[in-house]
Amino acid sequence: MSLEIKGGTIYREGAFVANEGLVIENGEGVIDVGNSFLLPGLCDVHVHFREPGQEYKETIETGSRAAARGGFTTVCTMPNLNPPPGDLDALRVSLACIERGRASGAAIQIVPYGTITRARDGRGELSDMEALAPYVCGFSDDGTGVQDRANMRAAMELAKSVGRLIVAHCEDDELVRSGRIRESEWRQIERDVKLADETGCGYHVCHISCRESVEVIREAKKSGVDVTCETAPHYLLLDTDTLERDINAAPAFGGRYKMNPPIKDRADRIALIEGALDGTVDMIATDHAPHSDAEKRTGFAKSLNGITGLECAFPALYTWLVQAGAMPLERLVEMMADAPRRRFGFADNGYSVWDFETPYRIDSATFCSKGKWTPFDGWPVYGRNRMTICDGRIVWKG
Ligand code: DOR
């Protein structure tokens, strides 16, 4: 059996061409997509689905639906969970949740991370990477930086020996305590690219947010280090120039702008866009990090760190980068589908079908995610996902 998709414009090997009829094995039926754009299934290597441990914020079921609605057919789930997947017993709990959640939610590809340190606290004993490796897309202590250089070196040696990436949330606690927030990010990247060079380990940096990080990674790439990085939609579309105005306009909604790392200055935003255009910044990941209403409606200062991303990332970026003339659509698709799949070794597994003609406003009340807090709430956008197809099955229909 097969599913035939007719009409529209399709993304093929980095370019858009008229769709002359797309046949998908395992599916069933014929669909005419009219003037829509057929994009590959998007891939987000950085999401928090909170299960096991904090199901009141999100579950695999709700998170997978949010992903499918956002056009994503592959996501990688971060390990700040309870129990953190630092050994096989703990990972099995995560894998069982994923299995169950995909069955009741959306049947997309969900691949977990294992932790770098056993307790995912950036310190002490390393995880059982050898046992975890067959089941995970890489190792990360996301939420926390690995504080000690010797520990990171040992982690890289171990990750390399089992053929997996180290995926680093870079944050030096000591520098944060002394208020040097930007340095806390880029100094750790600077340390790690040297270690990656010395150990030969594949190294990927999470959510870079400042211009120095772009510069350090640009130089490391020039000298041949096996390094890639992601940034997030909010670092590309927001900066402190507009942040204060937005928070002051509606202080009760300040939590919409609260995440770690924090949003930086206009010069950083521009450097990130330049990095995205010249290939220094490889991919865009949402850092989808849902929290409950009670945890976010406390105003900026008291809000927990983390915002919801999956259901608004592509429309926000399409409208405010591509339509605004700052990035070609081809590059955006490359950064949200091809580049993450290449780096993490995921095959293409589906399509998303986008209407770019009908304007609407992002409305978090309609989100499938339990998390309703995003800085893009209310933004006027183009780009409505009509359908997501994963492994021949329609996993979202708008
Ligand atoms: O804003 C954030 N939220 N940054 C992180 O590093 C962790 C994440 C979360 O888990 O909520």
mmCIF file of all heavy atoms in Angstrom, residues 84 359 395:
data_model
loop_
_atom_site.group_PDB
_atom_site.id
_atom_site.type_symbol
_atom_site.label_atom_id
_atom_site.label_comp_id
_atom_site.label_asym_id
_atom_site.label_seq_id
_atom_site.Cartn_x
_atom_site.Cartn_y
_atom_site.Cartn_z
ATOM 1 N N PRO A 84 17.251 10.081 36.384
ATOM 2 C CA PRO A 84 18.060 10.486 35.227
ATOM 3 C C PRO A 84 18.693 9.256 34.580
ATOM 4 O O PRO A 84 19.203 8.389 35.296
ATOM 5 C CB PRO A 84 19.129 11.407 35.834
ATOM 6 C CG PRO A 84 19.191 11.055 37.282
ATOM 7 C CD PRO A 84 17.852 10.498 37.674
ATOM 8 N N PRO A 359 -2.468 34.038 7.000
ATOM 9 C CA PRO A 359 -1.915 34.587 8.242
ATOM 10 C C PRO A 359 -2.764 34.199 9.451
ATOM 11 O O PRO A 359 -3.963 33.976 9.320
ATOM 12 C CB PRO A 359 -1.967 36.099 8.012
ATOM 13 C CG PRO A 359 -3.049 36.303 7.008
ATOM 14 C CD PRO A 359 -3.123 35.070 6.173
ATOM 15 N N VAL A 395 0.460 11.644 11.316
ATOM 16 C CA VAL A 395 0.529 11.757 12.765
ATOM 17 C C VAL A 395 -0.032 13.093 13.266
ATOM 18 O O VAL A 395 -0.200 13.299 14.458
ATOM 19 C CB VAL A 395 1.969 11.547 13.298
ATOM 20 C CG1 VAL A 395 2.405 10.105 13.089
ATOM 21 C CG2 VAL A 395 2.949 12.516 12.635
#
